[in-house]
Amino acid sequence: MIKAVFIDIDDTLLDFGKCAEYAMRESFRDFGLDFNRNMFPVFTEINAGLWHRLEKGEITKSELYGKRWVTVLGEFGIAHIDGSEFERHFQKHISDSAEKVDGADEILKYLSSKYKIYAASNGPHEQQIGRLKKAKLLQYFDGVFTSELLGVQKPDKAFFDACFGKIDQISPNETALIGDSLSADISGGAKYNMKTVWFNKNNGTAEGLHPDCTVNELIEIKNIL
Ligand SMILES: [Mg+2]
């Protein structure tokens, strides 16, 4: 019997793409740079690649933050702006952005009426709390676990060890993990014997993994949990 649900934040509850595009546009404005929408996919690709390397343990979080805007700005031939300084502006604007994924309110309201709800995110702690609060979603959570808070990240076993260390009397097989990322969420949750619910919003393939359930819309989770 499921007693608690862990749920990822970015691209599961909050639309990271919309938030990041807003933050990129605002940061370009801060530095007096011209922004056009064709630039955003360059960030998306570089950012996704770096997060993937982070999940595999090839780079640290601070290396990711240190590298990503140096790399993106380099792609645009913008050499006179310090990537670390740009990263600070980007982070500030991300903190201000809380665009929700469709159905986020409804599904959290539903799940929180039946289960304990914990956020499980590889994002920065205060930033994620602030964004959930701004999106008026924080009220549904019994706890927010972030890699920054715990010192380890999904999909590492140590991340889930730390989460369960903070929850009394609930074992992994009494929990479900909902997330959009096969590498961070589904792989991590499956290895930890949690019921995995893949939020497959882009109609992708499971790449050799076997989520217990797959949904294309958050609201479909009502049929599962
Ligand atoms: Mg995610």
Side-chain angles (χ1 to χ4, degrees):
M1 198 183 86
I2 299 294
K3 293 182 179 170
V5 173
F6 287 73
I7 187 161
D8 170 53
I9 298 175
D10 277 309
D11 282 332
T12 300
L13 295 172
L14 298 179
D15 187 326
F16 184 75
K18 282 186 191 164
C19 294
E21 186 166 350
Y22 161 82
M24 185 173 176
R25 190 184 318 114
E26 292 301 306
S27 303
F28 265 60
R29 196 198 312 265
D30 292 346
F31 287 93
L33 300 167
D34 289 328
F35 176 76
N36 69 66
R37 290 204 68 182
N38 297 332
M39 290 173 148
F40 184 62
V42 175
F43 165 79
T44 305
E45 191 179 336
I46 289 169
N47 186 52
L50 288 169
W51 277 94
H52 201 65
R53 291 182 63 194
L54 177 85
E55 287 160 10
K56 290 201 285 187
E58 293 174 3
I59 55 169
T60 64
K61 185 68 74 66
S62 67
E63 284 170 334
L64 182 150
Y65 291 145
K67 260 179 211 256
R68 71 176 167 184
W69 285 106
V70 174
T71 312
V72 176
L73 295 173
E75 280 290 310
F76 300 138
I78 299 168
H80 65 289
I81 305 239
D82 176 46
S84 307
E85 182 64 16
F86 193 96
E87 177 71 38
R88 273 192 286 281
H89 281 250
F90 181 76
Q91 290 284 347
K92 178 181 144 321
H93 293 304
I94 282 279
S95 297
D96 292 338
S97 63
E99 294 271 0
K100 284 178 273 197
V101 171
D102 284 348
D105 281 291
E106 192 176 342
I107 203 62
L108 282 176
K109 191 173 181 182
Y110 168 82
L111 291 171
S112 63
S113 72
K114 297 179 72 177
Y115 311 106
K116 295 259 186 202
I117 304 287
Y118 301 101
S121 166
N122 281 347
H125 192 73
E126 289 307 321
Q127 185 180 85
Q128 297 299 58
I129 298 258
R131 292 170 72 223
L132 288 175
K133 196 181 281 179
K134 189 162 183 174
K136 298 191 167 57
L137 298 178
L138 189 62
Q139 56 179 317
Y140 298 115
F141 288 90
D142 295 283
V144 175
F145 298 126
T146 61
S147 56
E148 189 182 63
L149 179 78
L150 304 176
V152 273
Q153 71 222 1
K154 299 180 294 183
D156 285 5
K157 179 177 176 290
F159 178 91
F160 298 102
D161 284 342
C163 292
F164 282 94
K166 291 175 183 291
I167 300 171
D168 282 338
Q169 295 174 348
I170 296 177
S171 56
N173 64 3
E174 296 171 319
T175 64
L177 175 66
I178 302 167
D180 68 295
S181 167
L182 289 167
S183 50
D185 302 315
I186 303 309
S187 148
K191 274 189 266 180
Y192 214 81
N193 202 24
M194 302 164 88
K195 179 179 176 132
T196 52
V197 180
W198 183 32
F199 177 35
N200 179 17
K201 61 186 190 311
N202 297 321
N203 280 313
T205 54
E207 295 166 16
L209 292 173
H210 301 282
D212 294 303
C213 310
T214 299
V215 296
N216 301 115
E217 300 282 343
L218 288 178
I219 211 69
E220 293 168 34
I221 293 168
K222 284 188 182 185
N223 303 328
I224 297 165
L225 291 170

